[in-house]
């Protein structure tokens, strides 16, 4: 569940960072009055109904796209990390303002992540991997979107070893390369 917790922490963090970024919302056929501008909605692992993506703008959603656990020789536990894709979209009738709105949204997220470095009290931004974002060049007004990639260091899974009469303390196994495993 660690990666799900990471996404929840990113969601909470983004809601806080963007709560005062008030953006236009597209009027829908069923709306009796023009909708009030609002902060982006934040979702995890995508939108519930992606066919309605244009109706949902402005929004941000987070997805884990890769995850890795890697042992370094001599380490007692693996290094764990997850790469997260952040997709954002905004709506604006004015092309220039729409381009600026999506840029402002990504810049707020990027700067806040770089300043904070750790979110949820346990997930550490991998500064060596950097943060990268792309505003889609093929945006079609009045919708503007892009994505950002960030990598996060996670707490690794702790290995459980049973000791005692029924445990494994006296078992010697041959690991990769013929090395003895504790």
């Amino acid at each position: 569940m660690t990666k799900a917790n990471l996404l929840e922490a990113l969601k909470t963090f983004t809601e806080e960072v963007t709560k005062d970024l008030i953006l236009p919302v597209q009027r829908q056929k069923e709306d009796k009055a023009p909708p009030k501008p609002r902060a982006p909605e934040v979702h995890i692992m995508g939108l519930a109904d992606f066919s309605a993506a244009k109706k949902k703008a402005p929004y941000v959603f987070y997805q884990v796209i890769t995850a890795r656990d890697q042992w370094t020789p001599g380490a007692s536990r693996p290094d764990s990390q997850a790469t997260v894709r952040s997709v954002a979209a905004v709506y604006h009738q004015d092309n220039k303002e729409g381009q600026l709105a999506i840029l402002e949204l990504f810049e707020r997220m990027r700067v806040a992540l770089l300043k904070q470095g750790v979110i949820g009290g346990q997930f550490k931004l991998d500064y060596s991997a950097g943060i990268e974002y792309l505003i889609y060049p093929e945006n079609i007004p009045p919708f503007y979107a892009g994505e950002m990639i960030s990598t996060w260091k996670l707490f690794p899974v702790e290995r459980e070893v049973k000791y005692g009469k029924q445990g494994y303390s006296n078992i010697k196994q041959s690991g990769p390369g013929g090395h003895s495993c504790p």
Side-chain angles (χ1 to χ4, degrees):
M1 290 305 288
T2 302
K3 289 160 193 74
N5 295 344
L6 168 61
L7 295 177
E8 287 293 340
L10 283 166
K11 178 181 186 221
T12 300
F13 178 81
T14 304
E15 287 170 341
E16 181 62 29
V17 167
T18 63
K19 69 182 177 188
D20 64 340
L21 181 60
I22 306 303
L23 299 166
V25 178
Q26 183 183 34
R27 186 174 188 157
Q28 305 299 312
K29 292 177 188 176
E30 61 273 8
D31 291 342
K32 295 190 188 312
K36 292 182 180 181
R38 61 172 170 76
E41 292 179 351
V42 185
H43 306 272
I44 58 174
M45 293 309 288
L47 300 174
D49 179 9
F50 201 75
S51 64
K54 290 182 178 179
K55 292 180 181 182
K56 299 281 186 190
Y59 63 82
V60 175
F61 69 78
Y62 288 99
Q63 299 174 307
V64 171
I65 55 173
T66 63
R68 181 175 78 175
D69 298 296
Q70 180 177 3
W71 261 274
T72 303
S76 61
R77 52 188 178 168
D79 292 323
S80 296
Q81 68 180 38
T83 301
V84 175
R85 176 180 181 229
S86 314
V87 176
V90 299
Y91 163 82
H92 209 292
Q93 284 293 337
D94 180 282
N95 182 55
K96 179 181 171 187
E97 293 299 319
Q99 295 286 348
L100 287 171
I102 192 69
L103 178 64
E104 173 65 17
L105 178 54
F106 277 119
E107 277 296 289
R108 275 205 189 199
M109 292 166 49
R110 182 188 70 84
V111 169
L113 288 171
L114 289 170
K115 282 182 178 180
Q116 182 108 3
V118 175
I119 62 165
Q122 61 182 327
F123 305 106
K124 193 174 190 180
L125 179 64
D126 185 345
Y127 286 102
S128 66
I131 295 178
E132 183 176 356
Y133 70 83
L134 164 72
I135 295 174
Y136 300 142
E138 68 278 355
N139 279 320
I140 301 171
F143 297 98
Y144 307 89
E147 62 185 83
M148 181 170 66
I149 302 293
S150 57
T151 302
W152 297 87
K153 295 178 182 181
L154 312 173
F155 280 116
V157 174
E158 292 289 333
R159 187 172 160 201
E160 293 181 10
V161 178
K162 296 180 183 180
Y163 292 96
K165 286 186 177 187
Q166 296 177 351
Y168 308 109
S169 59
N170 294 324
I171 298 174
K172 295 206 183 234
Q173 296 176 333
S174 180
H179 300 294
S180 180
C181 294

